[in-house]
Amino acid sequence: MTNKQGAGKDYFILYPFCIPVKGAESSVVYNLQFGQLKEIPNSMNDILELLKKATIKEVKKEIGKASVGTLNEYLRFLLNEGLGFYTNEPERFPRMAYAYQSPEFIKNAVIQYTFNQYPLKPVIAELDNLLCKFLELRIVTDTYSFDALVAAVDYTAGSTLRAIDLIVKNAPQISKEQYFSLYERNKKLKAIVVYNVEEDTTVWERGEKIDFCKEDFGVEAFNRHYPRDIFIVNPDYFMEAQQYNPYYNKKVTIDEHGNIKNCLMHPNSFGNVLRNSIEDTIGKPEFQRLWYAKHDLIEEVNMLATRYAIHVSNNLEQRADGFYTLIK
C-alpha cells in the first residue's frame, strides 16, 4: 500500500453511517451521523461498489494498472474526509439496514384557519386521535381577536402534538407583546411568523425565534415549492425517502374552507371536515397514493444523487408503468 495508514490492511470500507448514492452526473456520500453530503465522481462510487465485495488487492487487479493511481487517490480522499477506514475485519461493520417505521397514522398536518368556516377544536381532537406530532397552523385573516388566537392554540394542550409552527396574518389590534405572551403560554410553539407587518424583525425567545415579516403571505408565497438546494440529511429522512415520499407521507392538509387535501397547493380535495372524518378520509387508497410516490419512482428526481435529501412538493401524475411525472 502506498498509504501508510492502510499498511497491512486488506479492505477499505465506509463507515456504516456513510452511504454513497449514484446519480446521472455525479454521486454523493450521505454522512448521516453529521448531516452532511459529500459529492464524489461516479467513478469513485463504482470503486466503492467493488470494495464492498473485494480486497483492495483484488480491486486493483480488476481495474488494471492504469487505474491504480486513481484508486489510491480516492482512498486518500475518503480517509481524509473521515468517510471510511482500512480494516481486516469488514464483517464486524455491517451496513445500515434500510428500514423505516413510523407509528403515527398522521405524522404532520397543515391547517388554514379563519375562525368562521369550520370549528378548529374537533379537528385538533381528530389529529390527536391519529397521533399527529407536527402542526403548521396558518391564520389567514386579520380579523381575529387575541383571545380567539389563544383559544385556538390552547386546543393543542394535552394532545400528541410535539411541535407547532404558527403563521399568522398581522392583526393591527394585537401587539407584539401579546404574541410574546402567547409564545410563553404554550411550550409546544416552536416558531411564530407574523406576516404583513411594516418592517422585518426577528426576536428570539426561549432559544427560538418570532419572525415579523413585511411580505404578505398570499397565495403565491404559500404556493412556492420547497427549494431543491436545501438538503435534509438524517437517518430517518434517508430511509423514509427510499420507501415513501416524505413530503406527502402521513400528511394531511385542511384549507380555509375545511377541505381535506394532500397539499394546500392541490386543486382536488377528498372530503371536508364539516361532513367527513379525517380518519376515514386519510384511509382512502386514493388519498394515500402520493404517500408511496417514493423518489426513485419520480421522473427527473430519480436521476439526482441528492434524491434522498430533498423535498418533492410538486403535484405528481402517475403513469401506466407506475412511475410519476412532475406537474410543474
Side-chain angles (χ1 to χ4, degrees):
M1 292 294 299
T2 58
N3 191 317
K4 292 182 180 179
Q5 290 175 281
K9 304 293 186 180
D10 293 331
Y11 296 87
F12 187 92
I13 61 175
L14 296 183
Y15 288 102
F17 50 81
C18 293
I19 303 173
V21 174
K22 192 172 185 176
E25 298 180 358
S26 64
S27 297
V28 163
V29 177
Y30 290 64
N31 188 328
L32 300 179
Q33 183 178 35
F34 295 103
Q36 299 171 345
L37 299 176
K38 179 62 67 173
E39 187 175 12
I40 61 173
N42 279 339
S43 55
M44 187 185 296
N45 184 81
D46 295 338
I47 290 292
L48 288 170
E49 285 297 314
L50 295 174
L51 289 169
K52 287 180 181 179
K53 307 170 186 176
T55 65
I56 298 170
K57 184 176 181 180
E58 290 168 339
V59 171
K60 286 183 175 182
K61 184 177 180 180
E62 181 170 343
I63 64 177
K65 291 183 179 180
S67 299
V68 168
T70 300
L71 169 63
N72 290 333
E73 182 182 339
Y74 286 168
L75 294 180
R76 283 193 294 271
F77 170 83
L78 294 165
L79 189 70
N80 292 336
E81 292 292 329
L83 302 175
F85 59 98
Y86 294 97
T87 182
N88 279 327
E89 301 174 295
E91 68 279 356
R92 295 184 58 186
F93 306 96
R95 299 172 200 164
M96 183 178 291
Y98 296 168
Y100 176 79
Q101 293 182 331
S102 175
E104 304 90 358
F105 298 102
I106 283 294
K107 186 168 55 175
N108 64 83
V110 181
I111 296 176
Q112 278 185 333
Y113 190 55
T114 62
F115 296 94
N116 57 20
Q117 294 290 320
Y118 61 88
L120 182 62
K121 186 174 182 180
V123 171
I124 298 298
E126 281 204 77
L127 293 177
D128 181 41
N129 290 334
L130 295 169
L131 307 180
C132 184
K133 295 295 187 292
F134 306 103
L135 170 65
E136 182 178 301
L137 179 59
R138 301 176 180 179
I139 307 299
V140 292
T141 177
D142 60 1
T143 59
Y144 57 91
S145 67
F146 181 66
D147 288 343
L149 184 61
V150 169
V153 175
D154 280 356
Y155 293 147
T156 66
S159 70
T160 58
L161 289 167
R162 293 178 181 174
I164 303 167
D165 288 342
L166 178 63
I167 302 175
V168 296
K169 188 171 185 178
N170 181 47
Q173 65 272 19
I174 298 179
S175 67
K176 286 185 177 181
E177 289 70 24
Q178 287 177 305
Y179 289 119
F180 299 152
S181 68
L182 177 65
Y183 202 74
E184 287 302 317
R185 179 186 180 91
N186 193 311
K187 303 304 180 184
K188 292 184 179 184
L189 281 172
K190 296 303 178 187
I192 296 179
V193 177
V194 183
Y195 65 93
N196 200 30
V197 300
E198 291 185 358
E199 63 177 319
D200 292 330
T201 311
T202 297
V203 180
W204 290 88
E205 295 283 338
R206 294 197 333 245
E208 304 288 348
K209 65 180 180 178
I210 303 178
D211 278 327
F212 295 88
C213 303
K214 288 176 63 176
E215 183 176 9
D216 187 352
F217 287 9
V219 174
E220 289 186 5
F222 277 133
N223 282 5
R224 293 171 187 159
H225 289 296
Y226 198 86
R228 293 286 175 84
D229 58 351
I230 296 179
F231 302 116
I232 306 159
V233 187
N234 61 62
D236 281 347
Y237 196 88
F238 181 83
M239 289 183 280
E240 183 180 12
Q242 296 190 50
Q243 299 178 53
Y244 305 97
N245 185 307
Y247 178 76
Y248 291 110
N249 184 38
K250 296 191 175 183
K251 175 181 180 178
V252 66
T253 69
I254 299 166
D255 72 12
E256 60 185 287
H257 304 292
N259 295 314
I260 304 169
K261 301 182 174 185
N262 290 128
C263 175
L264 291 176
M265 292 185 283
H266 294 188
N268 58 309
S269 66
F270 299 86
N272 188 286
V273 296
L274 294 173
R275 301 182 298 274
N276 312 102
S277 78
I278 298 175
E279 182 176 3
D280 289 344
T281 304
I282 62 107
K284 297 176 181 178
E286 57 267 31
F287 185 90
Q288 295 187 12
R289 180 178 59 85
L290 292 180
W291 294 9
Y292 299 95
K294 61 184 182 180
H295 293 178
D296 285 328
L297 294 177
I298 303 174
E299 191 177 32
E300 297 181 26
V301 174
N302 56 13
M303 304 297 287
L304 301 174
T306 56
R307 59 188 177 273
Y308 305 133
I310 60 175
H311 258 332
V312 182
S313 57
N314 301 72
N315 199 352
L316 302 168
E317 183 176 0
Q318 191 171 21
R319 304 187 322 215
D321 60 4
F323 282 79
Y324 294 81
T325 55
L326 300 171
I327 299 177
K328 298 180 181 179

